[in-house]
C-alpha cells in the first residue's frame, strides 16, 4: 500500500512505529479470549497482533484497498477483515466483547454517531479502548496542523463524549520519551518516573504532557479492565536508537568531509595570496 503520510504501515520506522505499536500491544494485554472489533484497522498489523491473544478479531476499515491488503498479508483462523462505515457498522447489537479504535475519532465529523455505534455493538459487559490526539499539546502548542484531521478534541471534550456513553472509564496519556530504565531484577516493585534538569541536577515531577489520550471505558465499573498504571514499550532491536545512531554517524562523517574541504580551501587561499604577493 502507498504511504500517504497518514495511514501507518509497519515498515515505517522510528517514533511513529513506537507510538502505533505500543497502543496495540497495550490493548493486547486487555483483550485475552474476547471477541474484538478493531475499527479503522488500516493496514491490519494491529488486528494481527491482537489476534494472537483474542478469541477472534474483526478488523474494519472504510478503505477497500486497506481491507484487501490486510486479507492478503495477514491470515489466521481468528482474524477477519471487512469494509465498513464507522457510523453504520454492519453488525448486530451486543456482538463484541471489546472494541479497539486508535486515532480514528479525529478523522470524522460525526463523532457522536461513531461512539453510539460502538455502544450498540458492544455487549453490556464489554469495554472500549479508544485513543485521540490531544488538541492542545498535539496541535496548539506546536503550531501544527494535520491535514488529515477533521476535528481534534481537547481532553475535556474527549472525556465528556466518552462518559455520556460509557460512565465507567480510565483515562491514560501517551507520549514518546527517551528514558533510562532502572527496574527490580527480582520481584515486582512499583514504577517511579522522575525527570532531572541538566543544570543543577534538580529532580522534578514527571513533566511531560500527553500528545495522545487513551480511554479504557465501559458501561459499568465491573466490566472495566484494569490496565497497568504505567506501560513501557520497546523492541528488541531498539530501532528508534538505530536511526539516531545512523544520523549521528552520517553527520560526523559529513563534519569530517567539511573539515577537509575547509582545510583545502584555506590551503588554496594561502597559495593564491602568495602568488598575488609574489
Amino acid at each position: 500500500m502507498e504511504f500517504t503520510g497518514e495511514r501507518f504501515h509497519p515498515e515505517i520506522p522510528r517514533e511513529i512505529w513506537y507510538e502505533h505499536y505500543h497502543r496495540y500491544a497495550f490493548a493486547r494485554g486487555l483483550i485475552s479470549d474476547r471477541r474484538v472489533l478493531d475499527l479503522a484497522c488500516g493496514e491490519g498489523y494491529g488486528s494481527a497482533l491482537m489476534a494472537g491473544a483474542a478469541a477472534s478479531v474483526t478488523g474494519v476499515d472504510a478503505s477497500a484497498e486497506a481491507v484487501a491488503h490486510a486479507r492478503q498479508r495477514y491470515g489466521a483462523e481468528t482474524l477477519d477483515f471487512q469494509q465498513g462505515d464507522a457510523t453504520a457498522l454492519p453488525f448486530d447489537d451486543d456482538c463484541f466483547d471489546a472494541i479497539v479504535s486508535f486515532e480514528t475519532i479525529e478523522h470524522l465529523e460525526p463523532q457522536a454517531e461513531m461512539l453510539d455505534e460502538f455502544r450498540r455493538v458492544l455487549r453490556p459487559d464489554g469495554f472500549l479502548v479508544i485513543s485521540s490526539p490531544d488538541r492542545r499539546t498535539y496541535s496548539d502548542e506546536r503550531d501544527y496542523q494535520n491535514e488529515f484531521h477533521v476535528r481534534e478534541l481537547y481532553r475535556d471534550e474527549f472525556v465528556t463524549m466518552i462518559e455520556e456513553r460509557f460512565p465507567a472509564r480510565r483515562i491514560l496519556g501517551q507520549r514518546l520519551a527517551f528514558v533510562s530504565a532502572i527496574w527490580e531484577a527480582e520481584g515486582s516493585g512499583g514504577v517511579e518516573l522522575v525527570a532531572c534538569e541538566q543544570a543543577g541536577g534538580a529532580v522534578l515531577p514527571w513533566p511531560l504532557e500527553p500528545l495522545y489520550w487513551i480511554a479504557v471505558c465501559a458501561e459499568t465499573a465491573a466490566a472495566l479492565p484494569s490496565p497497568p498504571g504505567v506501560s513501557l514499550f520497546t523492541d528488541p532491536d531498539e530501532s528508534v536508537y538505530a536511526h539516531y545512531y545512523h544520523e549521528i554517524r552520517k553527520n560526523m562523517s559529513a563534519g569530517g568531509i567539511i573539515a577537509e574541504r575547509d582545510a583545502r580551501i584555506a590551503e588554496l587561499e594561502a597559495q593564491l595570496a602568495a602568488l598575488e604577493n609574489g
Side-chain angles (χ1 to χ4, degrees):
M1 291 179 61
E2 180 184 359
F3 177 56
T4 64
E6 177 62 11
R7 188 186 298 279
F8 173 74
H9 297 191
E11 288 77 23
I12 300 171
R14 301 185 295 278
E15 294 91 337
I16 190 173
W17 191 94
Y18 269 61
E19 290 174 348
H20 283 69
Y21 262 88
H22 191 180
R23 286 191 279 265
Y24 274 110
F26 171 81
R28 190 180 191 275
L30 305 178
I31 51 84
S32 179
D33 298 324
R34 291 178 178 266
R35 186 181 180 194
V36 180
L37 167 64
D38 181 16
L39 193 282
C41 64
E43 189 269 353
Y45 70 97
S47 300
L49 181 66
M50 293 190 297
S56 67
V57 176
T58 301
V60 172
D61 200 275
S63 167
E65 179 190 10
V67 170
H69 169 90
R71 286 173 176 169
Q72 182 178 19
R73 183 169 188 178
Y74 303 103
E77 271 188 38
T78 58
L79 184 58
D80 178 45
F81 294 99
Q82 300 183 31
Q83 186 179 7
D85 182 347
T87 62
L89 292 171
F91 304 110
D92 295 333
D93 296 354
D94 304 334
C95 62
F96 290 103
D97 303 309
I99 299 175
V100 172
S101 185
F102 292 137
E103 304 307 286
T104 309
I105 194 169
E106 67 274 12
H107 294 272
L108 299 177
E109 186 61 44
Q111 297 173 340
E113 287 86 338
M114 182 184 77
L115 293 173
D116 288 339
E117 278 294 272
F118 287 170
R119 184 65 199 88
R120 180 183 68 81
V121 302
L122 190 64
R123 290 168 53 92
D125 58 350
F127 62 86
L128 165 67
V129 185
I130 181 171
S131 74
S132 175
D134 177 61
R135 181 172 174 179
R136 181 174 65 85
T137 55
Y138 182 89
S139 294
D140 294 352
E141 294 181 357
R142 301 193 299 171
D143 192 24
Y144 172 68
Q145 183 175 356
N146 189 317
E147 62 178 304
F148 298 98
H149 291 181
V150 175
R151 182 190 170 201
E152 293 176 358
L153 299 170
Y154 292 106
R155 181 187 187 278
D156 290 346
E157 293 176 315
F158 180 58
V159 173
T160 297
M161 293 184 72
I162 293 297
E163 287 181 331
E164 288 173 351
R165 296 156 180 85
F166 302 97
R169 51 78 172 174
R170 291 187 63 181
I171 306 298
L172 302 94
Q174 182 190 20
R175 179 169 184 152
L176 188 70
F178 288 109
V179 299
S180 171
I182 299 176
W183 62 91
E184 186 176 358
E186 299 177 350
S188 56
V191 176
E192 177 187 43
L193 296 175
V194 296
C196 186
E197 289 180 326
Q198 291 187 3
V203 175
L204 309 173
W206 184 245
L208 296 181
E209 297 189 75
L211 283 182
Y212 308 94
W213 296 112
I214 300 175
V216 180
C217 46
E219 184 178 4
T220 65
L224 193 66
S226 298
V230 175
S231 172
L232 303 177
F233 177 83
T234 188
D235 65 300
D237 296 328
E238 296 186 313
S239 55
V240 71
Y241 279 117
H243 169 71
Y244 287 117
Y245 293 151
H246 170 74
E247 292 299 312
I248 289 170
R249 287 192 294 269
K250 186 169 67 175
N251 291 337
M252 290 177 64
S253 176
I257 293 172
I258 292 171
E260 290 177 3
R261 289 179 179 175
D262 287 345
R264 182 55 178 162
I265 290 170
E267 180 183 347
L268 293 173
E269 288 177 341
Q271 293 174 4
L272 178 61
L275 290 173
E276 290 175 346
N277 296 329

